[in-house]
Amino acid sequence: MFEAKRIARLKWACRRGMLELDVLFLPFVEQAFDELSEHQQLTFERLLTCDDPDLFAWFMGHKPCQDPELSEMVQLVLSRVKLSVN
């Protein structure tokens, strides 16, 4: 399980240069991150190391993510955020 300091860094990393990504990542961390398996948490942490243009393209469906784990995480984030909006 992630310690409080690491969660704080993760939330900081969710603050991106694009509003479209900000509105996906921060709610996901606040609402769903604790429910993820340790492996999924590490995958999400790795996702946040990707460049904003790539993240934007993946989340907006402009191009597929070639990494299967990251692609699965993109879909998980999208599904969770859609659920919380409805």
Side-chain angles (χ1 to χ4, degrees), residues 36-70:
L36 300 177
S37 69
E38 183 178 350
H39 181 73
Q40 288 174 315
Q41 289 177 341
L42 293 171
T43 301
F44 182 76
E45 190 175 38
R46 186 165 62 93
L47 181 71
L48 293 178
T49 67
C50 297
D51 293 331
D52 284 358
D54 289 331
L55 291 169
F56 181 81
W58 299 338
F59 279 96
M60 298 303 134
H62 298 296
K63 74 174 186 178
C65 175
Q66 299 303 314
D67 182 306
E69 286 183 340
L70 294 181

Side-chain angles (χ1 to χ4, degrees), residues 10-32:
L10 192 66
K11 287 181 179 180
W12 181 257
C14 287
R15 299 180 65 195
R16 311 302 289 203
M18 295 182 169
L19 179 61
E20 296 87 349
L21 297 176
D22 291 350
V23 299
L24 290 170
F25 291 147
L26 195 54
F28 179 79
V29 168
E30 291 175 345
Q31 299 167 10

